[in-house]
Amino acid sequence: DIVMTQSPPSLPVTPGEPASIFCTSTQSLLDSSGHNSLHWYLQKPGQSPQLLIYLGSYRASGVPDRFSGSGSGTEFTLSISRVEAEDVGVFYCMQTRQTPLTFGGGTKVEIK
Amino acid sequence: QVQLVQSGAEVRKPGASVKVSCTAAGNSFTDYDIHWARQAPGQGLEWMGRISPNRGDTNYAQAFQGRVTMTRDTSISTAYMEMDRLTSDDTAVYYCAAGNDNIFDYWGQGTLVTVSS
């Protein structure tokens, strides 16, 4: 199984400041089409997860442009250019390169 | 756009089984695979498996093989996840999710399954 590791597990942030979350995989997520099968989800308190970034760097529909994804192979980053109060929750990376599909352990973002 | 609506919370005793439904509204049910994932209290997300509504073929995570069955009824645009031999470790919120190429654009609201004697 591909193991996904996120850091940090907890991230206190100041509104208006940037933030970054890291995700590594035990196998390369780059497929033959040149896409990384790595996606980011945000689970806000009391809600279902929602898709933020797919294929490593593509913003999902309706996602603010302060969110961006980067990386390739086994190392990925989710960046928030200016954190807003509504961004609190748990961020998860997920690989779909092979089954079983696996999630990272999550990064809990909270306002300082 | 797809809205996924799940069945309500369930309480079961250890050793029992549970069946959770996920009904798709707003688009063709056969357009997307339906995936199931769960989240134990205070824990992260765990993928359980998927079913193709079109062909009915399934793929289960090894951890659930032999204990989980995913089915669908295309006439009512509903997918089901049934789990047998429940233990307290199966207490969790169970989600269905859908989207192209294993990218989960759409999620159900979640179904809490509590296993307690």
Side-chain angles (χ1 to χ4, degrees):
Chain A
D1 297 2
I2 296 178
V3 176
M4 306 299 293
T5 303
Q6 285 183 237
S7 62
S10 178
L11 184 59
V13 296
T14 300
E17 293 295 308
S20 293
I21 299 169
F22 305 97
C23 176
T24 61
S25 58
T26 52
Q27 297 179 39
S28 176
L29 304 183
L30 188 62
D31 65 22
S32 56
S33 68
H35 290 127
N36 286 283
S37 300
L38 184 283
H39 322 293
W40 292 95
Y41 295 88
L42 167 58
Q43 186 173 31
K44 295 183 178 182
Q47 296 185 19
S48 302
Q50 59 188 82
L51 178 67
L52 290 179
I53 302 288
Y54 63 97
L55 297 177
S57 61
Y58 298 90
R59 267 190 305 277
S61 176
V63 174
D65 60 7
R66 64 179 180 274
F67 291 97
S68 63
S70 61
S72 184
T74 61
E75 298 185 349
F76 300 90
T77 302
L78 175 70
S79 301
I80 310 173
S81 59
R82 294 173 304 279
V83 174
E84 296 190 4
E86 65 180 26
D87 300 336
V88 296
V90 182
F91 290 78
Y92 294 96
C93 61
M94 179 190 181
Q95 70 80 21
T96 57
R97 183 70 180 90
Q98 69 182 45
T99 57
L101 310 185
T102 47
F103 292 90
T107 295
K108 186 174 184 178
V109 169
E110 51 195 7
I111 300 297
K112 282 182 181 175
Chain B
Q1 276 284 15
V2 177
Q3 294 84 43
L4 300 177
V5 180
Q6 299 183 222
S7 49
E10 303 273 12
V11 179
R12 294 287 186 273
K13 293 188 182 305
S17 62
V18 70
K19 192 171 187 176
V20 179
S21 69
C22 172
T23 300
N27 209 328
S28 175
F29 178 62
T30 56
D31 281 354
Y32 309 107
D33 286 357
I34 298 291
H35 295 253
W36 291 89
R38 74 177 184 179
Q39 186 171 40
Q43 302 300 308
L45 294 161
E46 181 179 24
W47 181 76
M48 301 176 66
R50 57 155 278 277
I51 182 167
S52 165
N54 213 11
R55 300 177 303 278
D57 53 291
T58 55
N59 185 278
Y60 302 132
Q62 185 71 27
F64 301 98
Q65 197 85 31
R67 208 160 66 91
V68 163
T69 304
M70 296 178 187
T71 57
R72 91 291 188 218
D73 184 338
T74 55
S75 69
I76 55 172
S77 299
T78 298
Y80 302 93
M81 186 284 299
E82 184 169 19
M83 181 179 289
D84 303 326
R85 305 190 300 279
L86 293 167
T87 73
S88 57
D89 289 342
D90 296 316
T91 293
V93 175
Y94 290 76
Y95 292 101
C96 61
N100 287 320
D101 301 322
N102 298 332
I103 300 168
F104 301 163
D105 293 278
Y106 313 106
W107 292 74
Q109 83 276 21
T111 297
L112 175 62
V113 174
T114 303
V115 184
S116 174
S117 54

